[in-house]
Amino acid sequence: MKKVMKMFDGFSRKIDYLRLSVTDRCNFFCMYCRTKDLYYERIDQLSKEEIFRIISAFKKLGIQKLRITGGEPFLRDDIVEIIEFAHSIGIENINITTNGWLDTEKIKKIIKSPLKSVNISLDTLDKEKYRSVTGIDGLDKVLTAIDELREHKRVKINTVLIRSVNLDEIEDLISFAKKRNVIIRFIELMPIGIANQIFEDEFVSKNEVIKRFKGIKEVATDEVSAAKYYYVEDFDYNVGFISSVSDHFCKTCNKVRVSSTGVLYNCLFDKNGLELRKFLDDEKLLLKKIEDFVKQKKLIRSLESDMPMFKIGG
């Protein structure tokens, strides 16, 4: 039997989760990610063949979970080929994060694909606020995508907590998720990139939301996850929270990231990475370089970063 490799960082954390950005292009301009001033077309994003080599290398190093991110990954015409390749080499836990701006053809492709789950960003149920947050009049289209996909795939809603946008919608968003039997996770705003400009005024902590409910208790899970789940008695439903700021999960972190230009980062908050493209023609060297770099992963993340999130991958 072929020995399965495992990869560990310098603090003996097993690294088995890769977040791979396939593009930094996006058709949204979310207020915490980028502005139209930051928009530009990258000409040096990874090719499909380069992505295949990177996924293959990480599979050999023991990666068991793959999340494809962006930018907006469905802006790539070859995104389904990338998903199918990862599955063909034995990665079964393949997931994707999207803004949900999906036409009928893309939805059909997602349904037929081996994707295990689809994370869809949804920060508000109000059309005008949605336009203000994203720069796009797209709420109806995104809600349609959620309704169509939830019948066939595990759908998770990602809601970034923003004081002026959705603090008054928490209950409505939970009700929305329960009605559709989809998972909802509230994500603390992180001090990254342009979000630093609004962080002080707009940050909402997990505890501020939790204390709104009388009956709430944490749900135990064996899964290593950035999210903690709580049973909310008022709704008879489980709700997730990703509290990267108020209650970070660094000590159990099992992930690394690769940007759309092929740079490996040990953390979303890191500024320095390893340029994988230099080693793609020599897999043995590539594997060693990745292992050596992952050994340098910090125990605790930096406090903030001025790097735009879409440059590393959301």
Side-chain angles (χ1 to χ4, degrees), residues 9 16-17 168 199 227 235 290:
D9 70 6
D16 58 6
Y17 177 9
D168 62 344
F199 183 78
F235 291 88
I290 292 172

Side-chain angles (χ1 to χ4, degrees), residues 157-175:
I157 293 172
N158 285 347
T159 301
V160 177
L161 291 166
I162 311 168
R163 186 170 301 279
S164 67
V165 174
N166 53 29
L167 191 57
D168 62 344
E169 290 189 69
I170 302 298
E171 290 81 2
D172 290 341
L173 285 158
I174 296 173
S175 295

Side-chain angles (χ1 to χ4, degrees), residues 54-244:
I54 288 171
I55 292 174
S56 295
F58 277 97
K59 174 65 170 64
K60 290 178 179 177
L61 290 170
I63 289 296
Q64 296 180 329
K65 180 177 181 179
L66 172 66
R67 176 165 297 283
I68 298 172
T69 70
E72 172 47 50
F74 286 103
L75 290 181
R76 283 192 70 129
D77 294 334
D78 55 7
I79 186 62
V80 174
E81 293 176 68
I82 293 169
I83 294 165
E84 290 176 343
F85 172 79
H87 188 258
S88 73
I89 63 171
I91 302 177
E92 296 183 0
N93 193 351
I94 309 170
N95 314 272
I96 202 161
T97 297
T98 171
N99 59 30
W101 181 263
L102 304 168
D103 58 28
T104 301
E105 191 61 32
K106 288 177 180 175
I107 290 172
K108 287 180 180 178
K109 288 180 178 179
I110 292 171
I111 291 170
K112 292 179 181 178
S113 79
L115 282 170
K116 184 175 181 180
S117 72
V118 182
N119 286 16
I120 299 178
S121 299
L122 182 67
D123 297 328
T124 176
L125 295 170
D126 181 278
K127 290 185 72 170
E128 289 306 312
K129 286 198 288 186
Y130 191 91
R131 186 203 300 265
S132 177
V133 171
T134 66
I136 298 293
D137 182 14
L139 180 60
D140 289 342
K141 190 169 186 176
V142 172
L143 296 183
T144 297
I146 291 172
D147 282 337
E148 292 189 17
L149 287 173
R150 71 183 178 88
E151 299 291 339
H152 305 275
K153 295 290 182 181
R154 188 184 190 199
V155 171
K156 299 179 183 178
I157 293 172
N158 285 347
T159 301
V160 177
L161 291 166
I162 311 168
R163 186 170 301 279
S164 67
V165 174
N166 53 29
L167 191 57
D168 62 344
E169 290 189 69
I170 302 298
E171 290 81 2
D172 290 341
L173 285 158
I174 296 173
S175 295
F176 173 88
K178 180 180 179 179
K179 183 178 180 180
R180 288 158 178 79
N181 194 30
V182 299
I183 297 166
I184 185 166
R185 292 108 54 84
F186 293 103
I187 303 172
E188 288 183 348
L189 182 68
M190 290 181 282
I192 295 176
I194 65 167
N196 282 301
Q197 299 170 19
I198 62 172
F199 183 78
E200 186 174 344
D201 293 331
E202 299 287 8
F203 176 75
V204 178
S205 71
K206 174 185 75 174
N207 287 339
E208 185 174 349
V209 176
I210 283 178
K211 70 182 183 182
R212 295 162 71 130
F213 307 109
K214 292 180 181 178
I216 187 167
K217 60 181 179 181
E218 187 171 346
V219 178
T221 176
D222 294 331
E223 182 183 359
V224 177
S225 173
K228 288 184 178 180
Y229 289 89
Y230 294 79
Y231 172 73
V232 183
E233 190 176 292
D234 301 8
F235 291 88
D236 187 27
Y237 206 63
N238 289 342
V239 177
F241 290 89
I242 299 178
S243 47
S244 304

